[in-house]
Amino acid sequence: MAKSGVNIGEQCRKIISDVENGVFAPVYLLMGDEPYYPEMVCQSVIDNCLEDYERDFNETICYGADVTAEQIVTAARRFPMMAERQLIVVKEAQMLKDIENLALYCAEPLDSTVLVVLLHKATVDKRRGFYKAAQKAGVVVDSPAVRDYEVQGWISEYYRSRGLQIEPAAAALLGESVGTELSTIVVETDKLLKNLPEGVTRVTVEDIEKNVGISRQYSVFELTKELSYKNSAKALKIAAHLGSSAKFAMPMAVSAFYTHFSRILRYAALLSRGAASPEEKAAALAGVNPYFYKEYDAAVRNYPLKSVMGVMALLCEYDYLGKGGDGGAATPDELLVELTTKILNS
């Protein structure tokens, strides 16, 4: 979750701590491909900026499609009524056609106005005036999309922040089930915790299977593990079952395979140079909990460098086929079983 050396989670926790302590910036520009953190900061500002009795006259929440930059600036330049500050929030600001015209206000914002500009899964042009003025005048949050290999680590850290432990295999299974949308992970976690007995602080694979509705036995996570060990019978059984699922999508499986075999490739290249330090292993297996290192040790033995390169070529081919390429009449489950077979034979 780092971008340009910034840990977005830490940055947002600091911003929220300031807000909860009554320290506000005049301008907040909240944007990025991953909406979880920008929306969390926006809601914190809304919750803490004004007392309930001050909101009627001093809180304006609007949407980018419904206003112009001129209207926003006019509202922002008003003084609060019987309050220390006023709050202007522009949601869905990526729909604001003349958003660059906010640069002039941001160059000289009022101390008594808190202006929040929230974009949903979008960013402004960082080369232009509005971004530069907002950065100088206040706070900018630019939240990048979470990569597949980062999800498991994010889940583990999020659970720790809530006073919980989650087994590495459970974090991997949850990540596979819900994808990379952080807000979805949070929602599924809230649902999970409501169903767990009071006082439970450790979340297991069984908890995820029971409450999130995914079977470890027939998951891409389990399939990649069986491929690592070259357990042909189990891998093919999982592939046949997984591919026939109504929710199955071939591009999703290929993406998971690509992440897995990319790690194997990096790890094999590292070990080919001799003994590796724990730090070097962690770098080669970015996003992998040390709990799973023994699986990658087996994978390196089963897939020499030449074999891994062959698998990567196969994944490019089946990515094309899975997205409607020249796959003939092959069904998704047939494609997955065919790909699994070729990987096992590589």
Side-chain angles (χ1 to χ4, degrees):
M1 284 294 293
K3 187 169 186 176
S4 302
V6 175
N7 184 306
I8 300 300
E10 289 182 6
Q11 180 196 17
C12 292
R13 283 189 287 272
K14 174 63 168 61
I15 295 168
I16 289 171
S17 176
D18 286 344
V19 163
E20 290 175 346
N21 286 306
V23 179
F24 296 90
V27 177
Y28 293 87
L29 172 56
L30 311 175
M31 62 184 192
D33 295 327
E34 170 49 61
Y36 173 71
Y37 286 111
E39 290 176 0
M40 183 169 66
V41 171
C42 180
Q43 190 58 51
S44 180
V45 174
I46 292 172
D47 292 342
N48 292 280
C49 189
L50 298 170
E51 299 292 344
D52 288 342
Y53 66 86
E54 297 174 326
R55 295 184 187 278
D56 286 345
F57 296 106
N58 297 290
E59 180 179 270
T60 301
I61 298 179
C62 55
Y63 291 83
D66 302 327
V67 294
T68 65
E70 182 180 359
Q71 291 172 319
I72 295 167
V73 170
T74 298
R77 284 180 171 157
R78 291 197 303 256
F79 289 99
M81 293 183 64
M82 296 177 289
E84 181 181 349
R85 64 181 70 92
Q86 68 159 337
L87 173 65
I88 311 291
V89 179
V90 186
K91 295 186 175 183
E92 300 281 351
Q94 74 279 0
M95 303 296 291
L96 186 62
K97 295 180 180 178
D98 55 352
I99 193 169
E100 275 300 313
N101 291 344
L102 295 177
L104 192 60
Y105 171 78
C106 291
E108 295 184 21
L110 264 65
D111 291 337
S112 59
T113 294
V114 176
L115 172 63
V116 180
V117 181
L118 174 66
L119 285 75
H120 183 73
K121 292 187 176 183
T123 59
V124 299
D125 191 335
K126 296 179 183 179
R127 299 166 299 181
R128 303 193 66 185
F130 173 47
Y131 174 82
K132 293 177 181 178
Q135 191 176 44
K136 185 175 181 180
V139 169
V140 174
V141 172
D142 184 6
S143 179
V146 180
R147 300 175 180 88
D148 291 342
Y149 67 81
E150 296 174 315
V151 171
Q152 184 185 333
W154 191 90
I155 291 172
S156 297
E157 181 59 35
Y158 176 69
Y159 273 64
R160 276 193 293 272
S161 75
R162 298 190 63 167
L164 301 165
Q165 285 184 310
I166 183 169
E167 293 178 350
L173 192 62
L174 178 60
E176 178 184 329
S177 171
V178 302
T180 59
E181 289 277 352
L182 300 186
S183 58
T184 304
I185 294 171
V186 172
V187 169
E188 289 296 337
T189 298
D190 289 340
K191 288 162 53 179
L192 170 68
L193 295 181
K194 289 178 182 177
N195 293 321
L196 291 179
E198 187 175 351
V200 169
T201 60
R202 184 172 179 83
V203 178
T204 66
V205 168
E206 289 71 25
D207 293 325
I208 300 298
E209 289 181 312
K210 180 180 178 181
N211 295 289
V212 179
I214 181 173
S215 170
R216 169 182 49 174
Q217 185 178 1
Y218 298 113
S219 66
V220 173
F221 166 68
E222 196 70 14
L223 178 53
T224 56
K225 186 182 84 171
E226 299 303 341
L227 285 172
S228 292
Y229 290 104
K230 282 207 169 181
N231 291 332
S232 300
K234 287 185 177 180
L236 290 170
K237 180 181 178 181
I238 294 170
H241 188 281
L242 185 64
S244 61
S245 168
K247 295 182 179 180
F248 175 72
M250 189 66 184
M252 176 271 296
V254 171
S255 175
F257 286 174
Y258 184 84
T259 297
H260 186 66
F261 279 93
S262 294
R263 288 170 175 159
I264 295 172
L265 182 62
R266 291 195 301 270
Y267 194 43
L270 173 65
L271 296 183
S272 69
R273 300 198 296 268
S277 68
E279 293 76 16
E280 289 173 325
K281 283 188 176 183
L285 297 174
V288 177
N289 190 292
Y291 176 85
F292 297 110
Y293 282 5
K294 62 182 180 180
E295 175 187 333
Y296 285 88
D297 288 330
V300 167
R301 292 193 298 270
N302 289 323
Y303 298 91
L305 277 172
K306 185 176 179 181
S307 295
V308 181
M309 296 302 295
V311 171
M312 302 300 274
L314 280 172
L315 296 180
C316 291
E317 176 187 348
Y318 278 81
D319 183 56
Y320 170 70
L321 296 176
K323 292 176 179 175
D326 187 17
T331 59
D333 59 315
E334 290 171 338
L335 283 175
L336 183 59
V337 170
E338 186 178 288
L339 174 59
T340 301
T341 301
K342 289 183 178 181
I343 291 174
L344 289 166
N345 290 328
S346 62

